[in-house]
Amino acid sequence: MEFSELIRTGQAQAELLRGPEMPPLRGTLCVTGHHLLLSPGPQATPDLWLLLLRSVDSIEKRVAGDAGTITLRCKDLRVLQLDIEGVEATLDIARSIEALSSLESVITSFPFFYRPKGLRLGESWHFHPPERYYKRVARETRAWRLSEANEDFSLCPSYPRAVIVPRAVDDDALALSARFRQGGRFPVLSYYHAPSGTVLLRSSQPLTGPQKRRCAEDEELLQAVLAGARPGARGFIVDTRSAQAAKQARMTGGGTEAKSAYPGWKRLHRPLERGRPLQESFVHLVEACGDLEQSMDRWLSRLDGCRWLSHVKEALSTACLAAQGMEWEGACILVHGAEGTDSTLLVTSLAQLILDPLSRTMAGFQELIEREWIQHEAPIFLLFLDCVWQLGRQFPLSLEFGEGMLLALFDHSYSSPFGTFLCNSEKERCLCEVRTRTHSLWSGLNQPKEQRKLRNPLYAPNPLAIWPSVEPQSLRLWQGLFLRWTHPPEPSEVAWEKVWQIATDQEKTEGSQPTDSASEPQP
């Protein structure tokens, strides 16, 4: 298929309305295979406006007289209006955008065509392999090993080729455990907490079913986890479903770990919304934030009614529960829901940020996302970023990255010229040759010119755990994301630049002053 076959009208004269605080742009509108471009006339600014078509979420069109209007609602929460000359041109451009923005083939997406200057294909894809994190674990304990039993993705299509598992468990046992877990997602290590010698694991639900089936190898795997921790260690299974939902799952082939089959492990239910309820919450919040004419009472009512901050509270609370079990009680933690993706990854990722100082660095945070996250486009990833923003607001010195990094991740997770967020598993990425045919997002974000916008100038390494407050007074609406297109962010950007300037000037001052150690002879 050629992109030209989907482009009904290549260009038209149009006016672009970008928001209440931005002046309109008028010029020639062009549709390409991946972009929507507007080139202002010679009398206007020479800047070219560009929109990646994959970022379009929905299209509304209407015509009146000899002109038409197209309203684009974008995945980054922008609402754009195009006033186009000519009814036929309006309808043709709308159809072209609809067709090009919804192409299902991954290999036709823009990352497979993006070739920026200064970057080479394959660069930065090797920055965060599983082997790198395993080396950190191996320096602390010999109870774990790196298994390549999933090298051909036959055990679990959504797991990477290499996973970290108990040394006492062989690959044959892993294969049988995988058959006993939904989607093959058997328990694997997410994080080793060196101060307490305990671990954080993730998996999917066991397939016990109404007959209460058991798997000796799965039971041995979790016993090996406790045996490899400190003497007398116990474990907690944090199930992100309600007890009722877990019970219902057993009737359809799923279920939970039976107490008698997994001695030393205790199950805790901490239900987290996912799927449609979370999506509806997000949609209602976006609608409330986009209404510029509502009263204060109406705004507060809608903000409370969407329950988005309640989801933030529950996610942080559950992550704190997992982290406290490791830090305070010296327990091993296994997190899973049904599939062991979305809400499971939300909890394991946040727990690591709470406990692990390295995960709060720029490089460590990138590694965390590469290692943990599979499904990036669902609202659950936005919920994760919102929770991280709450951590950064409550602990402004403890995260090496700032709001700019979180906003960049949000934007790129929905539509990006880079390949990092393409596909939902390592197997899919291999089939599509993502690592050899696209650029890594980190190669772009780690460029020096980008780092100033992404780093936190106030960062001071904090070796301690950071325990967020989830009281109503402590959680805030993330205005920098949800209101960034309706309320101009310039004041915060100016303040951020001033903070950077102060920090830079301070570094120069300190660097120009001789220190006592520098003036003394070295032994």
Side-chain angles (χ1 to χ4, degrees), residues 289-300:
C289 291
D291 188 347
L292 304 181
E293 299 180 356
Q294 60 193 329
S295 65
M296 176 62 74
D297 289 343
R298 175 64 173 161
W299 158 248
L300 294 175

Side-chain angles (χ1 to χ4, degrees), residues 218-387:
D218 192 78
E219 296 165 14
E220 292 169 5
L221 193 160
L222 289 189
Q223 285 306 113
V225 170
L226 298 183
R230 63 181 184 83
R234 56 177 177 158
F236 291 102
I237 298 172
V238 178
D239 195 325
T240 59
R241 303 167 295 178
S242 67
Q244 181 63 27
K247 184 177 180 180
Q248 291 175 346
R250 189 168 68 242
M251 303 307 297
T252 57
T256 57
E257 295 81 358
K259 294 180 181 179
S260 59
Y262 296 86
W265 291 89
K266 179 180 180 181
R267 187 170 68 251
L268 303 172
H269 289 278
R270 292 295 183 273
L272 297 177
E273 294 280 14
R274 53 189 292 273
R276 177 171 293 182
L278 187 62
Q279 177 69 34
E280 291 177 350
S281 175
F282 169 63
V283 170
H284 291 157
L285 175 59
V286 171
E287 290 174 348
C289 291
D291 188 347
L292 304 181
E293 299 180 356
Q294 60 193 329
S295 65
M296 176 62 74
D297 289 343
R298 175 64 173 161
W299 158 248
L300 294 175
S301 175
R302 295 178 72 179
L303 181 61
D304 180 61
C306 74
R307 299 190 66 250
W308 180 260
L309 288 179
S310 296
H311 298 313
V312 171
K313 173 183 180 297
E314 294 303 324
L316 286 171
S317 297
T318 306
C320 283
L321 175 70
Q324 288 166 1
M326 301 175 71
E327 175 88 346
W328 296 350
E329 300 188 33
C332 296
I333 306 293
L334 168 63
V335 182
H336 73 67
E339 292 87 358
T341 53
D342 43 40
S343 58
T344 299
L345 304 180
L346 175 66
V347 174
T348 57
S349 301
L350 291 174
Q352 290 177 68
L353 283 167
I354 291 169
L355 291 175
D356 183 19
L358 286 178
S359 294
R360 302 194 290 265
T361 65
M362 180 69 79
F365 187 56
Q366 293 176 12
E367 180 184 295
L368 174 67
I369 291 174
E370 281 277 347
R371 197 173 67 242
E372 293 292 286
W373 281 94
I374 297 171
Q375 296 179 342
H376 301 279
E377 289 198 15
I380 201 79
F381 186 63
L382 170 57
L383 181 59
F384 165 68
L385 295 177
D386 198 330
C387 291

